[in-house]
Amino acid sequence: MSSLLSLYKAKEKNGTATMVKKTFLVPLAELYVEPGYNVREIDQEHVAEFRDAFIAGEFVPPLAVQVTEQGIKIIDGHHRYYGAKMASDEGHEIPRLECKDFAGSEADRIAFMVTSSQGKALSPLERAAAYQRLLNQGWTPAEIAKKVKRSTADVDQHLQLLECGDGLIAMVRAGEVAPTTAVALSREHGPKAEAVAQVQMEKAKAAGKTKLTRSAAIPQFSAAKARRLAELLVGADYLHEDGFGTLRLTEGTDSEINRILADYRAGIPAEVEAS
């Protein structure tokens, strides 16, 4: 049976374009993790899966690393590293891990962690934090989008998630609110978004639900009523007297206008509206 190595060695005869890209077997003790560097939160179940893979002698992709003054820093492969340590701590011999050099700037390293197909899928909050780190590196949303192979709208949406406030972000992390719903709430209610979400979440829990849906979080106002309100107001006169602006309504329209406005206000929790 042939191998890639034998194919490569005979390239002058067989004409293959195969190239060599070296990896290295690095002692586990020489590898280290920089606190807070990984864009992914460590998932212990995923770590255990790699522990089992190492114990079973299964193939595990090489780690991407950078040699620093402190040692050999892991750029990508944190779950693989912790899985190897777990296996080692349980008495299994894992002396070395296969590693490859990562070449590039700090921004390149962050982007690589985001796009790596070997790592655990990023949560929306993890992706948002990674985008923010790239933004802090001086990259524009358009440049970030190109680097991570996503749309600019995707980058903007994730960055907006980080602006939703600690309370809403905590609800997203807990799985109570979808990231897109949190962003929509923030756009709709501004500083009151967290309070609105908490009130609506309590109503959802009372109904036996564990997650706040977008329709429950932001009840949709009737388009027909909005159009009717515009029709009723189009004939109103704007007056500015004594520093105040007022609308003089067309006769007979005030009752219907107030009914429509009352319906709109009903979509905002009274507890929030009064605050």
Side-chain angles (χ1 to χ4, degrees):
M1 181 181 293
S2 187
S3 66
L4 285 173
L5 178 60
S6 60
L7 178 73
Y8 173 74
K9 286 183 176 179
K11 63 181 179 179
E12 292 183 2
K13 293 181 180 179
N14 58 37
T16 181
T18 300
M19 297 178 64
V20 174
K21 189 173 183 180
K22 291 182 179 179
T23 61
F24 300 86
L25 296 177
V26 179
L28 186 60
E30 293 182 25
L31 293 163
Y32 80 95
V33 170
E34 180 181 310
Y37 185 78
N38 188 15
V39 297
R40 294 171 176 81
E41 293 184 7
I42 296 301
D43 181 338
Q44 291 303 322
E45 289 187 9
H46 198 42
V47 169
E49 290 172 359
F50 277 117
R51 174 204 59 193
D52 295 344
F54 279 114
I55 292 173
E58 297 172 1
F59 170 75
V60 176
L63 283 65
V65 300
Q66 176 191 12
V67 177
T68 72
E69 292 180 355
Q70 292 177 250
I72 302 171
K73 172 181 167 181
I74 298 172
I75 302 300
D76 184 67
H78 293 77
H79 284 88
R80 281 163 272 168
Y81 167 73
Y82 284 120
K85 278 186 63 67
M86 184 181 288
S88 179
D89 291 343
E90 293 177 3
H92 300 275
E93 189 175 355
I94 314 289
R96 293 176 177 81
L97 295 184
E98 187 177 5
C99 298
K100 59 183 178 181
D101 279 311
F102 182 87
S105 66
E106 177 64 13
D108 290 331
R109 288 190 282 273
I110 295 169
F112 179 74
M113 286 190 283
V114 172
T115 59
S116 172
S117 61
Q118 302 297 343
K120 184 175 180 288
L122 291 172
S123 72
L125 283 170
E126 290 170 342
R127 182 172 289 276
Y131 289 170
Q132 184 62 53
R133 282 168 66 176
L134 287 170
L135 198 69
N136 294 342
Q137 290 281 328
W139 289 52
T140 66
E143 290 170 335
I144 295 170
K146 184 177 180 180
K147 192 71 176 177
V148 301
K149 301 176 179 62
R150 291 278 185 121
S151 67
T152 303
D154 175 80
V155 174
D156 287 336
Q157 180 86 358
H158 280 84
L159 290 173
Q160 288 167 20
L161 177 59
L162 297 180
E163 299 174 0
C164 288
D166 293 343
L168 261 179
I169 288 175
M171 294 178 77
V172 171
R173 185 172 284 113
E176 294 178 333
V177 177
T180 52
T181 301
V183 172
L185 274 165
S186 185
R187 289 174 179 168
E188 181 78 11
H189 298 292
K192 292 185 177 182
E194 179 184 336
V196 171
Q198 289 175 343
V199 169
Q200 298 294 65
M201 187 68 227
E202 288 303 315
K203 292 180 181 179
K205 287 180 178 178
K209 299 177 181 178
T210 60
K211 190 167 185 175
L212 181 62
T213 63
R214 183 172 180 137
S215 59
I218 311 174
Q220 295 299 301
F221 187 63
S222 166
K225 288 183 179 179
R227 185 166 53 250
R228 178 57 181 159
L229 180 61
E231 292 170 351
L232 293 168
L233 291 175
V234 72
D237 294 322
Y238 177 75
L239 304 174
H240 191 272
E241 300 176 358
D242 301 325
F244 293 95
T246 59
L247 285 176
R248 185 167 61 192
L249 303 175
T250 304
E251 186 176 354
T253 62
D254 57 326
S255 295
E256 189 176 358
I257 287 172
N258 280 324
R259 283 198 302 272
I260 294 174
L261 291 175
D263 288 343
Y264 182 81
R265 292 190 186 99
I268 304 175
E271 299 91 329
V272 175
E273 191 175 17
S275 63

